[in-house]
């Protein structure tokens, strides 16, 4: 191989070289997207494990920091794990391998993986609009205001008009297709007309009152139990329970696209879509 070929090969390698960043620099970008100030007071978001000065060459993205996910991040040689749900939620008095949370923390620390969670701050700035986009809700506004200043009102969930008038049965099929969900649980008369839809990804029972107050015909959410469902219907609100995972799984492809666009040539991997439960 002559000198010119060696030079060209070196240039190609340089063009595809992974761009490393400090963990703190990545955190700044994540908090630009979903500021920590939008998180609920009871929540636990941000850097939960690791060093801010950690050099990051590879990111792994998942919905939850399960043991399986952490093992996958280790196998991918990831330097940083980003999830939606915080693994550390309740105060910990001890960190040891006999405790399943402690064991996960030790694994992250032993492999030098910084761990960052984006929960209710992403619910406010990211999640709800992403799901509303999938459903093509028109003229949308915030469902539950949790943050307000002189510039804007922000919060959990969105409410807007469906792209067309449809029956509740048709709406359920539309949610399944738009959000790529295998099954939904529906409370309400299949023939009732749906015009206005509220969406609250995750556990949405606390949004029922706001959905009724704002005139929604249907609330699309997750984790609705028997009594909440039948009581909502009696008050004129149909419910499509698409599951906690069913709606929030959008976090993974959303953040995968964001990180690839924001961090250039950095390696970014994502957890494969897999429902955490099955129905017999």
């Amino acid at each position: 191989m002559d000198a010119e070929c060696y030079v060209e090969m070196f240039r190609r390698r340089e063009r595809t070289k992974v761009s490393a960043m400090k963990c703190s620099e990545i955190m700044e970008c994540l908090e630009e997207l979903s500021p920590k100030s939008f998180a609920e007071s009871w929540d636990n978001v941000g850097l939960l494990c690791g060093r801010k000065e950690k050099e990051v060459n590879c990111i792994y993205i998942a919905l939850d920091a399960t043991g399986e996910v952490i093992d996958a991040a280790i196998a991918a040689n990831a330097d940083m794990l980003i999830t939606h749900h915080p693994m550390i939620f309740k105060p910990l008095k001890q960190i040891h391998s006999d405790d399943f949370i402690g064991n996960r923390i030790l694994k992250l620390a032993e492999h030098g993986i910084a761990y960052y969670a984006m929960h209710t701050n992403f619910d406010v700035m990211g999640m709800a609009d992403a799901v509303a986009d999938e459903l093509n809700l028109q003229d949308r506004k915030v469902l539950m205001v949790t943050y307000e200043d002189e510039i804007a009102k922000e919060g959990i969930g969105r409410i807007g008009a469906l792209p067309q008038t449809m029956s509740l049965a048709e709406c359920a099929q539309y949610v399944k297709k738009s959000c790529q969900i295998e099954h939904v649980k529906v409370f309400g008369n299949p023939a009732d007309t749906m015009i206005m839809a509220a969406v609250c990804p995750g556990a949405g029972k606390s949004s029922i009152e706001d959905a009724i107050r704002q005139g929604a015909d249907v609330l699309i959410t997750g984790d609705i139990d028997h009594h909440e469902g039948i009581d909502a219907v009696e008050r004129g609100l149909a419910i499509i329970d698409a599951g906690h995972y069913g709606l929030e799984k959008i976090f993974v492809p959303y953040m995968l696209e964001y990180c690839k666009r924001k961090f250039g040539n950095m390696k970014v991997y994502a957890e494969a879509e897999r429902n955490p439960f099955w129905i017999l």
Side-chain angles (χ1 to χ4, degrees):
M1 185 180 292
D2 60 29
E4 281 190 31
C5 290
Y6 274 115
V7 170
E8 181 57 27
M9 183 173 68
F10 177 79
R11 285 174 177 169
R12 285 200 299 269
R13 287 177 178 173
E14 282 299 291
R15 283 196 293 267
T16 58
K17 187 177 179 181
V18 173
S19 303
M21 295 176 68
K22 296 287 187 183
C23 176
S24 58
E25 295 174 318
I26 293 173
M27 287 167 55
E28 286 179 11
C29 294
L30 297 178
E31 289 163 23
E32 179 184 317
L33 172 67
S34 303
K36 290 169 65 178
S37 58
F38 288 119
E40 295 286 334
S41 59
W42 49 262
D43 203 3
N44 190 26
V45 301
L47 185 66
L48 305 190
C49 179
R51 301 181 185 277
K52 291 183 178 180
E53 64 270 22
K54 168 77 178 181
E55 187 176 89
V56 177
N57 294 280
C58 178
I59 295 172
Y60 196 91
I61 300 168
L63 193 66
D64 297 277
T66 63
E68 188 177 3
V69 162
I70 291 171
D71 287 342
I74 292 169
N77 293 316
D79 304 297
M80 188 172 188
L81 171 63
I82 301 172
T83 70
H84 178 50
H85 297 129
M87 178 181 69
I88 304 171
F89 214 82
K90 297 178 181 178
L92 298 172
K93 292 185 178 181
Q94 298 172 326
I95 298 176
H96 53 71
S97 59
D98 290 339
D99 174 70
F100 76 102
I101 296 293
N103 191 52
R104 293 179 194 173
I105 296 170
L106 288 173
K107 274 191 175 183
L108 290 168
E110 287 165 358
H111 289 84
I113 300 175
Y115 170 49
Y116 190 93
M118 305 169 69
H119 192 210
T120 51
N121 54 325
F122 184 79
D123 286 337
V124 172
M125 302 299 287
M127 184 77 79
D129 276 319
V131 175
D133 285 342
E134 292 295 304
L135 296 171
N136 195 23
L137 296 188
Q138 308 295 309
D139 302 319
R140 74 185 70 152
K141 59 182 179 178
V142 174
L143 179 62
M144 302 166 59
V145 176
T146 58
Y147 181 94
E148 185 173 357
D149 59 23
E150 62 278 3
I151 299 175
K153 294 180 180 179
E154 298 293 350
I156 305 292
R158 297 293 184 267
I159 182 170
L162 290 161
Q164 63 189 52
T165 299
M166 56 185 79
S167 69
L168 178 57
E170 291 170 334
C171 187
Q173 289 289 347
Y174 177 67
V175 170
K176 284 180 60 179
K177 182 178 179 180
S178 299
C179 299
Q180 300 179 37
I181 301 169
E182 290 184 6
H183 54 263
V184 295
K185 181 170 67 175
V186 185
F187 293 90
N189 185 336
D192 282 354
T193 300
M194 303 291 113
I195 299 173
M196 294 295 294
V199 59
C200 183
K205 64 181 180 181
S206 61
S207 65
I208 289 175
E209 293 296 330
D210 290 271
I212 292 171
R213 179 177 55 82
Q214 295 210 44
D217 298 304
V218 60
L219 171 62
I220 303 160
T221 187
D223 295 352
I224 298 295
D225 69 21
H226 173 79
H227 295 288
E228 292 157 355
I230 62 174
D231 290 348
V233 171
E234 188 169 334
R235 300 173 67 190
L237 178 69
I239 290 189
I240 297 174
D241 186 333
H244 200 120
Y245 179 81
L247 296 180
E248 289 197 332
K249 63 185 173 70
I250 200 172
F251 172 83
V252 175
Y254 185 105
M255 289 307 303
L256 178 64
E257 191 279 330
Y258 177 81
C259 288
K260 284 185 173 181
R261 174 165 42 86
K262 197 74 174 179
F263 305 135
N265 291 325
M266 184 176 294
K267 294 178 183 176
V268 185
Y269 299 106
E271 174 192 27
E273 184 177 320
R274 183 172 58 252
N275 205 319
F277 65 91
W278 56 279
I279 294 176
L280 181 62

